[in-house]
Structure formats: structure tokens, C-alpha cells
Amino acid sequence: MPITLKDVALRAGVSRSAVSRTFTDGASVSEKMRRRVEKAAVELGYSPNALASSLTTGRTKLIGLVSNNFHNPIFLEVFDRFTRALQDKGLRPLLVNLTDETNPASSVQMLRQYSVDGVIVASSTLPPGFSKAFRDAGMPVVHAFGRPTSAPEVHVVGIDNIESGRMAARTLIARGYRDVGFLGGPKTATSTQDRLLGFLAEIATHPEIRVSHSFADAYSFDAGRKEMLRLLAENPAQAYFGGDDVLSIGALSAIGESYLSVPRDIGIIGLNDMEMAAWQNINLTTIRQPIRHIVSSSIELMTEMLKNPDRPPEARIFACEIVERGTLRPLKA
Amino acid sequence: MPITLKDVALRAGVSRSAVSRTFTDGASVSEKMRRRVEKAAVELGYSPNALASSLTTGRTKLIGLVSNNFHNPIFLEVFDRFTRALQDKGLRPLLVNLTDETNPASSVQMLRQYSVDGVIVASSTLPPGFSKAFRDAGMPVVHAFGRPTSAPEVHVVGIDNIESGRMAARTLIARGYRDVGFLGGPKTATSTQDRLLGFLAEIATHPEIRVSHSFADAYSFDAGRKEMLRLLAENPAQAYFGGDDVLSIGALSAIGESYLSVPRDIGIIGLNDMEMAAWQNINLTTIRQPIRHIVSSSIELMTEMLKNPDRPPEARIFACEIVERGTLRPLKA
DNA sequence: GCCAATTTTGCAACCGGTTGCAATTTGATG
DNA sequence: CATCAAATTGCAACCGGTTGCAAAATTGGC
């Protein structure tokens, strides 16, 4: 049914190689030949079969886009940016939704079967060894939103979560809060661990400040709300660093439901600066994660890897910045 | 580098066909042979190349998942469900992000090049002819969230937007609102057009009720907020049917920013019942679109199409239901 | 207009599988 | 143990392309 190379060759009265060559750039074809072939091709409505060509070229232009964050609204933006950026480079995202599993084996096999040219892992909660499995299977990998280390096993692009924890702490301290807490995401997420680490380390330089921490079950509204309700029932701190924005919004809801006011009674600072944080009826003060740069840098690394698969793994770390909105008491003048 | 069929055949000392057959079910292989081949396969770590086999079988198990809704949070849930459901059926989602374009040509070509087995278009805003283009190119198509008609050109799964417009109208009338408005999504979206149609039709049966309507630029928070601010500056109605939830939430924000109270001063009913509508600090009364069923039914239709591509197009329509929360005044007892 | 250098073209093998067909093996039956 | 049908296996062609190599065509220099 579909038109093949052979059909075009027949129609144009030339060899199959000639047709192939007019459709692969960099190949040697005369102008005359090209025109002749292209004429036949459009007449027949031919377009080359990318999969067949991948057999010999070894390139599919398919990129596995692997994530387990299908519940955090920030990831819609992440997927939007990734898919657009990939498309702009002529690459095609093959989406893998991990649901709960953190065992890469079946994803690795599946992506191998489809001969993807590379894999982008987009998650801040997967264990360190996860993305390594793809590399071990011989695929170029970039782990976006991963944990950067000085000697990464795969390319990692993200933020310095330790530093962002410190930043949150400094911000709270500067506002005069003397009793602060970390309302973290899931304890197993590397991002949570690192944010806590930085937060505590910074607070530790101020012995007069009281600090506490606890974890929500997930980066989600409900988990944040539930944990904040629990904290409110006990003896809450004056201000919290929420594990991320959606968690923080859940916490805000809990506070409102308890007839307390933000920032008057309790302060909250989130992390991500997702679209909703800017919604006027939420207006969350937060630490902006430069998603745009993380994505574009990941894509850049990926295209580099496609050219040179042996490029040694590298960590690219982007700075965050405070976005002042209405959920922390103002700086004292 | 990667292990091929031939390697396994060599190692097991059998023909290539034998290896192929042990990996395609339904093929005739003796137990002895199967064991022998499987042994060699695991020793070498072989897994068959799905793309190569697609060449002869004509099936790739790739499904194009096409959407232009990468800004409406409801679609994260949609993508989550679609990708999971596809994976469960052994199908692989090849994601296509349409950004702004409503011209299917390049997507059609791209998906043809990758020989996808079928295409799922997930969008409520694309023009009627869009998904038809995929079908014309010979691909099985299901348009999820499309406009159902009695004689659809492709399979359509979704809700009856006209009826949901009526439902919104009935709900507002039952609450005693006498001056109501439709705050629609983009004028070009089929979903907006139909919701308006139904809304007006129902109101028309109550001559005493005043009705007005206007459109936001997009199904987005900002568009909804902006339009509601505009309406508030003039002479707002008593209650609005918001084009969808995210739009309605934007409207809620505008109302709050204007120091008005919901539902005391103005009522809002949305449509979708996205996760955020249930957030306690939003608490939006809305019309639930049964996403779960729409997705599973779409997948079901798709798998049917894969078995029998000539299945005549069909429209599957799901009922919506009102979800009572806090943005409409209560029913009079 | 002739010859060498360069470019363009076609041949044929190959990428990693699948499958129709015929040959071989197996197993049941007499 | 011979016979025949059924099950299993291998051969070879094919899926839709690409590419090294040699033959053919073009170009430039004189």
C-alpha cells in the first residue's frame, strides 16, 4: 500500500540508490537527477521509511523520554519543553511512564528494542543508579533534574539542591523567623535529601534558630496538605520550606482550612516556581528552578552525545533564584 | 555491537528462522528447540529488534499520541492515563506536540515515516478535519475529546458538549440565578462552540433569564482571569459557566482580587473536574468529564482498529456529572 | 578534440529480522 | 518394521532502505 523507494525509482526510471541518495543529505547526486527523482516522489506522494533506514544507518532519531512524575503539574511544562525541543532538532520523543517502578530493567529492554538513539530521564525522585542502567546498555543518557555530583556516572542536568536548601534557610532567617521547618517531599527522593541537607547545614550556622523537619509521602497537594495538618495539630514552626511548590500549595490549603493566615501566622516558601505559584489566588513565594535552561541544556548535551557517544559524563548545575510573592513576611527594612 | 538474531543462531547452532520463531508467538517450534535458543539468547543478552521486525510484519506497536494541550494541567492526567494504558497493551506512545499549528500535514508525514500503527489525537480544540488527515493517510485514528457527531469521519470519544452546556445552564437556573453568563474558551475550539450552543439552548427555554457570553483566548488561568476582570469592570452576571476548570480558576482569582466573594457575590461552575478543582483552597463546583472512561474507551477502540482497520468510525459519548463544591450558591431547600 | 581527474550513477551486498515452501524429522498406526 | 500424516526445521527471498565499489559520464586543461 504505501509507496516505497522502489516505486519511485521505477517511476523516475533510475536506480534505487539514486532515490535513496536524493533523500539523504550529503550524498552525491546531480541537480538533474535530484529534480527528476523529486518529481516522481511528489507525484507518488513518497516519503522515506525512517525505520527501514535506521536499520543500516543505526540511527532512529528516537529519544526515550522516561519519567515517573506524571502527577506533579510542573512536569506538564517539562514535557512541553522537552517534546518541543526534541522536535526542533528532528528527534522524536518515545514516552515511557514509569508509574511506580524504580527498576529500570524493563524500560531498558524496551528502549533497546526500539533502538532509541538516546534516553532522557526526567525525574528528581529516581535513585542514583537508575539512569546508569541505560548507559550500561550502551545508550547515551542525560538525567534531567537528577542529583549532580562531582563525578557523575551519566550526564546530569539540574540544580544544586543542597544550595537551594541553604538558600531557603537564608531567606527564612533574613525574614526574622526563629523557628523554622522543612516540609520535605518523599524521603527517598534525592532532591528531598539534598534540600534537607543544605537547609540544615545553613541553619546550623545560626545556633539560636530552632529547626525541625518531616517528610510528605509524595510531591503532591494531598501529601503536603496532610503533613501540614499534622504539623498544625502539634506545635508548628513559624515558617516552612516546602519540598516543592505543589506540596507547598497543599500546605497553604491546610493552613487556610485551619483558619490561619499566610504570611501572618505561618510563612511558606516553595521550590520550582511552577505556573500555579504565580496564580494570584495562590501567590506563593518560591525558589525558581530554571526549567527552561535545564531542558535546553539537556537537549544540548544529548545532541552532543549523539555526535560523540564517548563524551565523559558531566554535571551541569544551574542557579536558582528567589521569587518574592506573598507567602513570607516581608524583609524588615 | 548489539546482539543480533544471527549471533544467537550461531551460538545455538540452529538456523536464523528457528531463532526468529522462538521469539514470535504462534510460530511452530519444538520445546527442545525453544529451550536451546532461549539458553543461547540469555547467555548473549539478546533481545529482538522491534524495528527490523516491523519491516516485514508491518506493525511497529508505535502509536502516535498527538496533542496541542500542553498548557492545561488536566492533560497531565490525560497523558498519564494514555501512556499507562498504551504500555499495558504493549504499545508505545510516540508523542507529538503540536504547539500552535492546526495543520496536520507535517505530523502526518512524520508519523508515516515512523510507520505508527495508529494515531490518538487528544484535544478538544482542534478543528474537525484535523484527525481526518491521519485517516486519509491510511492510519487508524481515534480522536479523544473530539466533537462527536452522528456520522463521524473518524472514531471520536468524548462527552456531549452540547449536553454539558445544557447541564450547566440547568444547574445555574436551579440555584435561582436569573442573570447568567458563559465565559468560554477559545472561540475556535469545537468544545467551546458546543458548550455555548447547549448553554444558550437551555436558557432559551426560560425566557425570564438573562444570558450573555464571551470568550477567553485560551483554556488557561490567565485567559480566564483576564476575561473575568474585564467582565467585572462592566456589569457582571450573577453566575458564570466557565469554559473549563483552569479557566474558571482564573476567573475565581479575578473575583477574589476584586474583593468579591464566591459564591456570595458571583457563582462559578467549571467543567472537567481536574485534580485542582478538588483542592480545598479552590473547591470549584464543576461538571466532571469522565477522563478515565474516555481514555480507556479510546484505547479499546484503537486496539479494535488494529485488528480490523476497516471498522467504520463510531462516536462514543460519555455522560458527565455535576460535582458539587463551593462555588455556587446552595440549592434552595 | 583528446586525456586525465572528478563527479555521478548503478550494482550488489547488507542492515536485522520474517515467512512461504519444501525437506526433514517425529510419531502414530497397522 | 514399514507407511503415512503431522510437526518441525532450514533455505532463500523479502521487508525498505543504505553504501562501498567500480563503471560510466562529465568536466577541465591544453
Side-chain angles (χ1 to χ4, degrees):
Chain A
M1 184 63 183
I3 310 302
T4 75
L5 191 78
K6 190 159 59 175
D7 301 323
V8 178
L10 228 57
R11 169 100 177 198
V14 300
S15 73
R16 292 161 56 221
S17 342
V19 179
S20 172
R21 284 196 259 259
T22 67
F23 284 97
T24 57
D25 37 27
S28 153
V29 228
S30 67
E31 256 322 297
K32 205 171 65 181
M33 172 67 85
R34 150 159 287 128
R35 266 197 293 277
R36 194 163 158 193
V37 169
E38 275 172 353
K39 179 153 170 291
V42 309
E43 282 169 4
L44 294 172
Y46 168 76
S47 77
N49 181 326
L51 269 26
S53 77
S54 83
L55 259 194
T56 34
T57 62
R59 300 192 150 272
T60 54
K61 301 201 169 190
L62 291 173
I63 300 289
L65 184 54
V66 180
S67 184
N68 62 346
N69 294 260
F70 280 78
H71 288 283
N72 193 338
I74 187 86
F75 268 80
L76 188 58
E77 187 183 338
V78 170
F79 293 145
D80 181 38
R81 291 190 184 279
F82 265 122
T83 52
R84 294 226 310 262
L86 286 170
Q87 286 174 187
D88 288 349
K89 300 264 180 199
L91 300 170
R92 313 294 163 198
L94 194 56
L95 201 53
V96 179
N97 183 343
L98 287 178
T99 69
D100 290 327
E101 64 181 340
T102 54
N103 180 350
S106 76
S107 312
V108 166
Q109 180 179 4
M110 188 241 118
L111 290 177
R112 255 194 4 167
Q113 291 187 328
Y114 281 84
S115 314
V116 296
D117 287 348
V119 177
I120 292 175
V121 177
S123 168
S124 70
T125 61
L126 288 168
F130 185 89
S131 38
K132 178 109 186 315
F134 294 93
R135 189 176 123 107
D136 290 343
M139 315 178 213
V141 183
V142 175
H143 188 158
F145 305 99
R147 169 188 262 168
T149 70
S150 53
E153 301 190 298
V154 302
H155 290 279
V156 174
V157 181
I159 60 170
D160 182 340
N161 283 303
I162 298 180
E163 176 53 29
S164 65
R166 299 191 103 102
M167 187 181 277
R170 282 194 299 268
T171 306
L172 295 183
I173 293 169
R175 305 303 160 103
Y177 293 107
R178 289 294 170 261
D179 183 356
V180 300
F182 175 66
L183 199 179
K187 204 185 307 193
T188 54
T190 57
S191 52
T192 300
Q193 294 162 7
D194 292 349
R195 286 166 200 175
L196 174 60
L197 223 62
F199 189 73
L200 293 181
E202 186 69 27
I203 301 283
T205 65
H206 296 254
E208 77 282 11
I209 295 188
R210 225 185 121 225
V211 65
S212 59
H213 69 272
S214 64
F215 302 99
D217 298 333
Y219 282 122
S220 75
F221 180 91
D222 286 336
R225 173 172 175 271
K226 192 174 129 209
E227 181 58 19
M228 182 53 90
L229 285 175
R230 198 186 65 75
L231 291 168
L232 290 173
E234 300 183 351
N235 186 18
Q238 299 167 339
Y240 286 91
F241 170 33
D244 87 330
D245 281 357
V246 70
L247 209 62
S248 301
I249 295 173
L252 284 177
S253 180
I255 296 169
E257 293 167 50
S258 305
Y259 304 103
L260 295 172
S261 160
V262 172
R264 203 192 55 210
D265 302 316
I266 291 199
I268 294 271
I269 180 169
L271 190 153
N272 262 351
D273 193 28
M274 63 190 217
E275 217 183 298
M276 274 165 253
W279 287 4
Q280 284 79 359
N281 52 355
I282 290 186
N283 201 31
L284 177 69
T285 294
T286 190
I287 295 175
R288 171 179 299 152
Q289 187 164 201
I291 294 193
R292 171 197 298 264
H293 294 116
I294 292 175
V295 169
S296 63
S297 190
S298 298
I299 298 285
E300 190 183 306
L301 269 178
M302 179 53 71
T303 53
E304 287 298 319
M305 292 277 284
L306 297 183
K307 287 181 214 148
N308 173 20
D310 296 324
R311 201 176 212 278
E314 170 186 340
R316 294 203 178 171
I317 305 173
F318 288 89
C320 294
E321 59 174 323
I322 301 283
V323 180
E324 303 259 4
R325 295 205 184 88
T327 56
L328 285 187
R329 69 160 82 120
L331 265 175
K332 308 179 182 183
Chain B
M1 187 59 183
I3 310 301
T4 75
L5 192 78
K6 190 159 61 175
D7 301 323
V8 178
L10 229 57
R11 170 99 175 199
V14 299
S15 74
R16 291 161 57 225
S17 343
V19 179
S20 172
R21 285 197 255 261
T22 69
F23 283 97
T24 57
D25 36 28
S28 153
V29 226
S30 67
E31 256 321 298
K32 205 170 70 181
M33 172 67 84
R34 150 157 286 128
R35 265 197 293 278
R36 194 165 159 190
V37 169
E38 275 172 353
K39 179 154 172 289
V42 310
E43 283 170 3
L44 295 171
Y46 168 76
S47 77
N49 181 327
L51 269 28
S53 76
S54 84
L55 258 194
T56 36
T57 61
R59 300 192 150 273
T60 54
K61 302 203 169 188
L62 291 173
I63 300 288
L65 183 55
V66 180
S67 185
N68 62 346
N69 294 260
F70 280 77
H71 288 284
N72 193 338
I74 188 86
F75 268 79
L76 188 57
E77 188 183 338
V78 171
F79 293 144
D80 181 37
R81 289 190 185 279
F82 265 123
T83 52
R84 293 225 310 261
L86 287 170
Q87 287 174 186
D88 288 349
K89 300 262 181 202
L91 299 170
R92 313 294 164 197
L94 194 56
L95 202 53
V96 179
N97 183 343
L98 287 177
T99 67
D100 291 327
E101 63 181 340
T102 54
N103 179 349
S106 77
S107 312
V108 167
Q109 180 178 5
M110 189 240 118
L111 290 177
R112 255 191 9 164
Q113 291 187 329
Y114 281 85
S115 314
V116 295
D117 288 347
V119 178
I120 293 175
V121 177
S123 168
S124 69
T125 61
L126 288 168
F130 185 89
S131 37
K132 176 108 187 316
F134 294 94
R135 189 176 121 108
D136 290 343
M139 315 180 214
V141 184
V142 175
H143 188 158
F145 305 99
R147 168 188 264 170
T149 70
S150 53
E153 301 191 297
V154 303
H155 290 278
V156 174
V157 181
I159 60 171
D160 181 340
N161 283 303
I162 297 179
E163 176 53 29
S164 66
R166 299 191 104 102
M167 187 182 278
R170 282 194 299 268
T171 307
L172 294 183
I173 293 169
R175 305 302 159 104
Y177 293 108
R178 290 293 168 264
D179 183 357
V180 300
F182 175 65
L183 199 178
K187 203 185 310 194
T188 55
T190 58
S191 53
T192 299
Q193 295 161 7
D194 293 348
R195 287 167 200 174
L196 174 59
L197 224 60
F199 190 72
L200 293 182
E202 186 70 27
I203 301 282
T205 66
H206 296 255
E208 77 281 11
I209 295 188
R210 224 185 122 225
V211 64
S212 60
H213 69 270
S214 65
F215 303 99
D217 299 332
Y219 283 123
S220 74
F221 179 93
D222 285 338
R225 174 173 174 269
K226 194 175 129 211
E227 181 58 19
M228 182 51 91
L229 286 175
R230 197 184 66 74
L231 292 168
L232 290 173
E234 301 182 351
N235 186 18
Q238 298 167 337
Y240 285 92
F241 171 32
D244 87 330
D245 282 357
V246 69
L247 209 62
S248 301
I249 296 174
L252 284 178
S253 180
I255 296 169
E257 291 166 52
S258 307
Y259 302 104
L260 295 171
S261 160
V262 171
R264 205 193 52 211
D265 303 315
I266 291 198
I268 294 269
I269 181 169
L271 190 153
N272 262 352
D273 193 28
M274 64 189 215
E275 216 184 299
M276 272 165 255
W279 286 5
Q280 285 76 0
N281 52 354
I282 290 185
N283 201 32
L284 177 69
T285 294
T286 189
I287 295 176
R288 171 179 299 150
Q289 185 164 201
I291 294 193
R292 172 198 298 263
H293 294 116
I294 293 174
V295 168
S296 62
S297 190
S298 299
I299 298 286
E300 191 183 305
L301 269 179
M302 179 53 70
T303 52
E304 287 299 318
M305 292 278 284
L306 296 183
K307 287 180 216 150
N308 172 20
D310 296 324
R311 203 174 209 280
E314 168 187 342
R316 295 203 178 173
I317 305 174
F318 288 89
C320 294
E321 58 174 323
I322 300 283
V323 180
E324 303 259 6
R325 295 207 184 87
T327 56
L328 286 187
R329 70 161 80 122
L331 265 175
K332 307 180 183 182

